[in-house]
Amino acid sequence: SAVISQKPSRDICQRGTSLTIQCQVDSQVTMMFWYRQQPGQSLTLIATANQGSEATYESGFVIDKFPISRPNLTFSTLTVSNMSPEDSSIYLCSVGQSPTGGETQYFGPGTRLLVL
Amino acid sequence: QKEVEQNSGPLSVPEGAIASLNCTYSDRGSQSFFWYRQYSGKSPELIMFIYSNGDKEDGRFTAQLNKASQYVSLLIRDSQPSDSATYLCAVSPGYSSASKIIFGSGTRLSIRP
């Protein structure tokens, strides 16, 4: 499977500020996904990022709050804008792959965000 | 009704026994089914995927799918303390890597020595 890295691995931010999270993959992938995992909760899909087109956001998530870039087939960024303590969460990127013929998703290590 | 339902646990199983994790899903058109393992403080790790009715075995793990009952399970044989983690069931409407995956809330598994 692809090797996925994320930066930063963790951060503590003040409310009202913005943080950009980077996701880098060691091979070209068509689809990249951004998820949020709040403390003690499961994963919630924020948006799907396809290279060369606008990201597709899930219900409850908007571009003004979570702008996404996908400049090429190995990289994507997610910005968490105008942060509040409710944005404290783990943010994960994943990529779609089919290493054994089956299509699935693999996750990066995550970015742990604490908003004060 | 949640789209993917799992018992939150914790499920406690003695070392060496079989751990059985269950999951039901609401979308009858779902095509792809996954089990992820997540250790505390880590990101989810794919351990099994299954597309067809029946059983799929990989080492100590067996995934079982029953589309008529909309039911997916994961069996872990010869449970080890290292199997202690949260197991996430995930379901997708399609086969392609572009299909979004919907996750259950996870089952916490604890293997007691």
Side-chain angles (χ1 to χ4, degrees), chain A residues 74-116:
Chain A
T74 64
F75 187 78
S76 178
T77 67
L78 169 75
T79 299
V80 186
S81 302
N82 188 23
M83 289 184 285
S84 67
E86 292 71 33
D87 294 318
S88 297
S89 188
I90 300 172
Y91 291 85
L92 295 145
C93 72
S94 75
V95 302
Q97 280 206 311
S98 56
T100 58
E103 304 279 356
T104 189
Q105 290 184 25
Y106 296 88
F107 286 86
T111 295
R112 286 151 184 77
L113 171 62
L114 176 63
V115 183
L116 302 177

Side-chain angles (χ1 to χ4, degrees), chain A:
Chain A
S1 61
V3 176
I4 306 167
S5 60
Q6 285 185 236
K7 289 182 181 179
S9 60
R10 61 179 65 238
D11 208 341
I12 300 173
C13 300
Q14 297 298 318
R15 69 172 65 210
T17 63
S18 298
L19 176 72
T20 295
I21 302 168
Q22 300 177 5
C23 180
Q24 180 76 53
V25 190
D26 69 343
S27 59
Q28 293 184 340
V29 293
T30 303
M31 305 301 297
M32 296 180 77
F33 304 85
W34 287 99
Y35 288 83
R36 180 173 73 183
Q37 187 172 30
Q38 295 181 304
Q41 303 297 314
S42 189
L43 285 80
T44 301
L45 180 65
I46 297 172
T48 302
N50 193 5
Q51 194 267 337
S53 64
E54 293 287 330
T56 302
Y57 289 83
E58 295 299 304
S59 176
F61 297 96
V62 295
I63 187 171
D64 289 346
K65 176 67 175 178
F66 297 102
I68 288 171
S69 78
R70 181 79 200 276
N72 57 53
L73 291 174
T74 64
F75 187 78
S76 178
T77 67
L78 169 75
T79 299
V80 186
S81 302
N82 188 23
M83 289 184 285
S84 67
E86 292 71 33
D87 294 318
S88 297
S89 188
I90 300 172
Y91 291 85
L92 295 145
C93 72
S94 75
V95 302
Q97 280 206 311
S98 56
T100 58
E103 304 279 356
T104 189
Q105 290 184 25
Y106 296 88
F107 286 86
T111 295
R112 286 151 184 77
L113 171 62
L114 176 63
V115 183
L116 302 177

Side-chain angles (χ1 to χ4, degrees), chain B residues 36-104:
Chain B
Y36 287 82
R37 177 176 63 198
Q38 187 173 25
Y39 293 114
S40 180
K42 301 294 185 181
S43 63
E45 171 193 11
L46 179 71
I47 53 173
M48 290 289 286
F49 60 87
I50 186 167
Y51 304 123
S52 304
N53 276 326
D55 295 359
K56 178 182 179 182
E57 186 175 319
D58 184 1
R60 295 187 298 111
F61 298 98
T62 299
Q64 299 175 317
L65 173 60
N66 183 327
K67 288 188 177 181
S69 300
Q70 296 174 240
Y71 178 91
V72 192
S73 66
L74 179 70
L75 301 178
I76 306 175
R77 289 181 300 281
D78 188 23
S79 297
Q80 303 296 309
S82 59
D83 295 326
S84 296
T86 296
Y87 289 80
L88 300 168
C89 173
V91 175
S92 175
Y95 292 112
S96 83
S97 60
S99 299
K100 71 176 184 179
I101 293 179
I102 300 168
F103 285 83

